[in-house]
Amino acid sequence: MSVVRVALLLALGALLPFSVSEEVVCYSDFDERSGGCTQYLGEGVSEGDCCLNIKYSFKRDPGAPCESCRPAEWSEWSLWSPCTVSCLDGVQRRDRVCTGQGDCQGNKVEVRACSLQNCCPETGGWSSWSAWTVCSVTCAEGTKQRTRKCDSPSPQCGGSCAGSSVEKVNCNTQQVCPTHGAWGNWGLWGQCSESCTTEGSGIFPVQTRQRQCNNPSPSLVPPGRPCGQESRQVQDCTSLPFCPVAGGWGAWQPDSECSVTCGIGRIREKRLCDSPAPKYGGRHCEGSNTRQFMCNTKVGCPVDGKWSQWQPWSPCARLQENIACSTKVGTQNRKRECEGEKYGGKWCESHHRESRNCYNVDGCSLDEKWSEWGEWGLCSPPCGKSERTRERVCQPVYPDYPETTLTQTGKLVDVFFSGTPRVRCDPINKQTKKVEEKEECKNVIEC
């Protein structure tokens, strides 16, 4: 990198509104699942400079835990764990990790009920043993066996019988068998007569190997057959190298500029094994042919903006007119903010404000009905004694008002009911607003 460019980057860095902070160990990546720092960049850089790129991470000292530069956010949920039991009712668990600067809102662990099969295995019983088979050989010692079946009774739900279905014992024919000779394995090839060859001579050193007739040796009484073919082999050493020349490193040469245009990056140098180059199998140069140094651009990396949650809808109203509990159409608005954009990052796409047409039923007396039972919730707490809940709620029955209306421009749009009406359903277990049902989660992991 040129002297002029380095001076320019340092000058720009001095103008940026970065606060002075302690020196840290800087990394260019962060593993969300393990919470570890990866891709080491270097030490002796401030926390503010390291976090010019929010994708980076750092340690306050080499033995400290890893911290991410990005704002606090949850990782993806892990996969559900295996069911705690293989039959009947159990539970599964999953978790996620909060990484970044600050605290995350919400649960770290979730647990749900599970069942792999509706019955548990039952063992069966063995039948009586069959008769013994004849001996497996006609001389020396062999084996004989008998069998039985797992059907008295048969196992249920994937069960089995304890023990083996086959029993084997030794049997002796009282007859001696002849032993025929067989070659043992070839021994290793011996050393070549020379360690290298003369280029272009066409003459090669030789090496030999041997084997013995001892796998097994032939018996004398009764007589066994001896081994055939040769017991010794000779071959040329055709793959010997020419006499080696060891390699030597050349001088270090620049190989790149700073690897990034913002935040912390690297500069690389390289060298060649050519002073001299290795020849004929000679030792190659030891060590790395590249090395890297940390570089600091003092420039913040772009951070794109993200939309906040929508704010609540404003009250449904119509200019200088009371429209509550009537078929008169009003309007309501809500907005959201684009947060976090800096260092030239992208502004949020789409609109920050929206409106809709509405009927104002806030505080109005409407007919009501009980909803159906909802889905079962998660097991809580996620360990120890745990239970899950579902509920029914008293819902308003909205009047049969027109579902659409025409705007001043002649466009047909939807109309929504807005506000909290007054409803009171017939009591269920003395409750008129909401009723709950709870159930114990079985086989939950101990805390």
Side-chain angles (χ1 to χ4, degrees), residues 245-262:
V245 175
W249 287 115
W252 287 104
Q253 299 293 332
D255 192 43
S256 73
E257 295 184 347
C258 192
S259 61
V260 296
T261 57
C262 62

Side-chain angles (χ1 to χ4, degrees), residues 23-327:
E23 292 184 347
V24 297
V25 185
C26 190
Y27 299 80
S28 65
D29 202 0
F30 178 76
D31 189 323
E32 293 185 357
R33 289 304 305 164
S34 68
C37 294
T38 58
Q39 303 297 325
Y40 170 83
L41 286 171
E43 304 179 22
V45 63
S46 71
E47 176 185 340
D49 284 353
C50 183
C51 289
L52 288 169
N53 190 328
I54 63 172
K55 296 180 180 179
Y56 283 14
S57 58
F58 63 89
K59 294 182 180 179
R60 300 196 181 276
D61 59 67
C66 181
E67 299 183 44
S68 173
C69 288
R70 70 193 67 179
E73 62 181 8
W74 286 112
S75 67
E76 296 294 328
W77 283 105
S78 67
L79 298 177
W80 286 104
S81 68
C83 199
T84 53
V85 291
S86 59
C87 58
L88 301 182
D89 295 325
V91 294
Q92 294 174 287
R93 169 193 174 108
R94 68 177 182 178
D95 55 39
R96 58 182 177 177
V97 177
C98 180
T99 61
Q101 303 296 306
D103 297 324
C104 300
Q105 301 297 317
N107 295 326
K108 178 181 179 181
V109 178
E110 288 185 345
V111 174
R112 69 180 182 185
C114 58
S115 177
L116 297 180
Q117 60 181 23
N118 296 326
C119 61
C120 290
E122 297 181 11
T123 57
W126 290 110
S127 67
S128 299
W129 286 104
S130 67
W132 289 102
T133 62
V134 297
C135 196
S136 60
V137 296
T138 58
C139 63
E141 291 187 353
T143 59
K144 61 181 180 179
Q145 68 179 33
R146 62 179 181 175
T147 60
R148 59 181 176 176
K149 296 182 179 179
C150 182
D151 59 0
S152 298
S154 297
Q156 302 296 320
C157 195
S160 61
C161 291
S164 174
S165 62
V166 179
E167 183 179 21
K168 294 183 178 182
V169 296
N170 294 331
C171 51
N172 194 332
T173 65
Q174 306 300 321
Q175 300 293 322
V176 178
C177 296
T179 302
H180 305 303
W183 288 115
N185 293 329
W186 283 105
L188 298 177
W189 286 105
Q191 291 185 345
C192 294
S193 55
E194 300 291 342
S195 61
C196 59
T197 60
T198 303
E199 184 178 7
S201 68
I203 300 174
F204 299 97
V206 296
Q207 59 183 167
T208 62
R209 66 176 181 176
Q210 295 179 335
R211 59 180 177 176
Q212 295 181 348
C213 185
N214 61 358
N215 189 34
S217 300
S219 61
L220 298 176
V221 179
R225 293 189 299 269
C227 300
Q229 300 178 346
E230 74 277 2
S231 62
R232 182 173 180 270
Q233 286 184 337
V234 180
Q235 71 174 11
D236 290 337
C237 296
T238 59
S239 60
L240 290 176
F242 298 122
C243 295
V245 175
W249 287 115
W252 287 104
Q253 299 293 332
D255 192 43
S256 73
E257 295 184 347
C258 192
S259 61
V260 296
T261 57
C262 62
I264 303 295
R266 299 186 186 95
I267 293 177
R268 184 177 63 194
E269 291 183 340
K270 69 176 181 179
R271 58 182 177 176
L272 299 177
C273 186
D274 60 356
S275 298
K279 295 178 65 177
Y280 307 134
R283 178 177 53 83
H284 198 274
C285 300
E286 295 182 356
S288 176
N289 67 337
T290 61
R291 64 182 181 182
Q292 298 187 11
F293 300 93
M294 186 171 62
C295 52
N296 187 350
T297 67
K298 293 290 185 178
V299 176
C301 294
V303 179
D304 297 338
K306 294 184 179 180
W307 285 118
S308 67
Q309 297 293 323
W310 283 104
Q311 296 178 3
W313 287 103
S314 64
C316 183
R318 190 168 173 174
L319 187 63
Q320 297 180 350
E321 189 172 355
N322 182 12
I323 64 172
C325 309
S326 72
T327 58

